[in-house]
Amino acid sequence: MCSIGEDDFGDEGGAHAMKEESPIPEEGTSSALEQHEICHKCNEQPAVLKLNRKEPQCRGCFLHYVRHKFRASLGATKIVRRGSKVMVVFNGSPENVVMLDMIRHGLDQDAFKKLRVDPVVVFVNEDFIDGSRGDLEQSVGEKVEIMKQFEFPSYYAVLGGQESCGIGEGNLSEKFHAEQEAFRKILGGIKSVTSKQDFIVQTRKQTYKALAKQLECGYIFLSSIGLELAKTLLSDVALGRGRSLALDIAFCDDRDEERKIIRPMRDLNPEEIDYYLNFAENQLRSVIALDPFREKSSLQNLTSKFVDGLQQSFPSTVSTVFRTGDKLGAEKVADSNEPKANDDHFLELFDKSLKIEPTAEEPSKCKFCHSSLDYRDSATLFATEFSRMVSSRINVELSHESIIESTRLMERDACKAVNAELEDDEMRQLKRELCHACRNIFIDFDGK
């Protein structure tokens, strides 16, 4: 129960009742760690950090604690089977490098504690989206050197592609040039930044699944931490992806039973990532993964700034937002018996000349993001469509009878628009097989 009473909400809206949490003290100050302080876990070694500004811990106890959180997430669910071949997506970010080091540490343990997976690391390059050829070659080379420090079987691919190559096969920045151009052409045809960013996120998932299929991996490991997933949760609400929200932040996204997306780092926070990089046994190099549209206006960027502000002032609130997603259920969609002709060639959906034949049965899964369809007879979408039609069709000079008749026709057309049944809509059949959020991407696309 909330302890703030009605009397606490004055002219400031209750803001005076919420006190900003203490900022994280700088390292080396007496408030951060007292001199000669002993670890509260082992009571033997000198403490080197204060996790969550509370418990002093030594280096060994901290590393054991963080690695246990990683292993516990895998062990508690028992989703990843022993000996499974897993595809670890690489992007060189701090949390990504930490995950790879934890996997390496788990594989080096004795028989009882050994991590029973067969990892394959795949560097899916996104730097070509806004970088020049010279910058691309430099960034690819830097990330490949970071990837080599883990000595796992490694491959290179590009966003939007379905094939990969070994990292030792020539100049990687020159590989898959046709796939890069095709992706950039589609991205350039999408008008709003919000739709561009959503398109990139959905393309990532389909690219990972296509590469996992090529490499015969049943699981895909992503390095998303709690802060990033909190942003995803709120962004999905703003974009209208409520039906797939639970799976987008869950430990296991099993929309594709053959290639499941796993997020074993979801219980870690940025503070633990920074401390791990400082105190790990091996010197770990990383780079900051930057969104090419981070400085532009979009729903995702606005949400990200809001969550980052919460993380600075009220970090425990971010955890609450993220944990809310665990209480949400996701509708399970059974795979159709019909062949999936375009599932592995998802970017072909943006070809204006593509003709999609009507199916005998009602589609149940989005053709682009593979989440369950959510538009059929939706009252919310009907209200949105009806409001749009009223704004564009109603003329105040019409008679009362004409307005009533026009309203009746708009109600009919709004219902047809929601269910993708408008006869003059060229995208009618494609819209029938897309969820609401993916529809918005395709409506925003005006490429040739």
Side-chain angles (χ1 to χ4, degrees), residues 194-203 239 241 300 437 441:
T194 295
S195 293
K196 287 177 186 285
Q197 289 180 304
D198 195 21
F199 167 70
I200 291 175
V201 170
Q202 302 309 319
T203 303
L239 293 170
R241 292 194 177 275
Q300 295 92 326
I441 297 176

Side-chain angles (χ1 to χ4, degrees), residues 213-276:
K213 180 179 180 180
Q214 183 217 358
L215 297 172
E216 299 180 347
C217 297
Y219 303 93
I220 303 165
F221 277 20
L222 302 184
S223 56
S224 305
I225 60 175
L227 176 64
E228 182 180 345
L229 295 177
K231 296 176 182 179
T232 299
L233 186 150
L234 295 180
S235 294
D236 276 7
V237 173
L239 293 170
R241 292 194 177 275
R243 186 63 69 91
S244 62
L245 187 153
L247 291 174
D248 287 340
I249 66 172
F251 172 79
C252 176
D253 182 345
D254 57 356
R255 271 173 277 196
D256 189 334
E257 285 287 350
E258 296 180 356
R259 293 171 288 277
K260 298 178 180 179
I261 295 177
I262 307 296
R263 302 180 180 92
M265 301 284 287
R266 67 195 298 267
D267 292 327
L268 274 70
N269 58 50
E271 182 186 17
E272 291 168 341
I273 297 296
D274 291 340
Y275 280 139
Y276 191 98

Side-chain angles (χ1 to χ4, degrees), residues 363-376:
S364 59
K365 184 180 290 189
C366 177
K367 208 170 185 66
F368 190 50
C369 72
H370 298 173
S371 62
S372 59
L373 293 180
D374 55 358
Y375 65 82
R376 175 61 59 181

Side-chain angles (χ1 to χ4, degrees), residues 337-348:
N337 294 327
E338 295 185 5
K340 305 174 185 178
N342 291 320
D343 275 8
D344 290 336
H345 302 281
F346 44 90
L347 295 185
E348 290 183 0

Side-chain angles (χ1 to χ4, degrees), residues 109-160:
Q109 298 300 295
D110 55 32
F112 180 72
K113 297 181 179 180
K114 189 178 181 66
L115 183 62
R116 305 289 183 176
V117 296
D118 181 15
V120 173
V121 181
V122 180
F123 170 25
V124 182
N125 183 26
E126 300 182 13
D127 296 333
F128 67 89
I129 294 177
D130 65 340
S132 64
R133 185 171 298 275
D135 294 337
L136 177 62
E137 186 172 351
Q138 180 180 354
S139 65
V140 169
E142 182 180 6
K143 291 182 179 180
V144 167
E145 289 302 314
I146 294 174
M147 186 165 54
K148 285 181 178 179
Q149 66 184 322
F150 298 102
E151 300 179 350
F152 291 136
S154 303
Y155 296 86
Y156 173 82
V158 296
L159 185 63

